Amino acid sequence: MKFPVLFYVVVTTLLLVTITIAAAMDMPLNWVFFLTCIGQVFVVIMVYKVLRDNYTTEKTFKDFYEDYPIGDVDNYR
């Protein structure tokens, strides 16, 4: 079964947030350590999947940021 890339990002984020909450709530160290080791594996898998994803776009560096279009801004000085 092929999962979308966003699935890996969400699962990894939820796991790392769970580790943070578990450490803050004084969960036993062996559980936090085990979850941390699994989290590191998930981070490596997530990075691999994101970098290997077949994503294409029509945007270029000339487009700059979508929320701040530099080509259409008038200078009112």
Side-chain angles (χ1 to χ4, degrees), residues 3-17:
F3 295 110
V5 174
L6 191 58
F7 172 79
Y8 294 101
V9 175
V10 169
V11 168
T12 304
T13 302
L14 289 177
L15 179 64
L16 296 178
V17 168

Side-chain angles (χ1 to χ4, degrees), residues 41-60:
V41 171
F42 270 80
V43 167
V44 171
I45 292 170
M46 178 193 67
V47 168
Y48 176 78
K49 294 290 186 177
V50 167
L51 291 177
R52 295 292 297 173
D53 187 34
N54 190 15
Y55 177 78
T56 57
T57 182
E58 299 294 323
K59 303 281 183 187
T60 63

Side-chain angles (χ1 to χ4, degrees), residues 12-28 31-37 39:
T12 304
T13 302
L14 289 177
L15 179 64
L16 296 178
V17 168
T18 303
I19 292 169
T20 305
I21 293 170
M25 295 182 70
D26 290 331
M27 203 168 170
W31 282 97
V32 175
F33 179 74
F34 180 69
L35 287 175
T36 303
C37 292

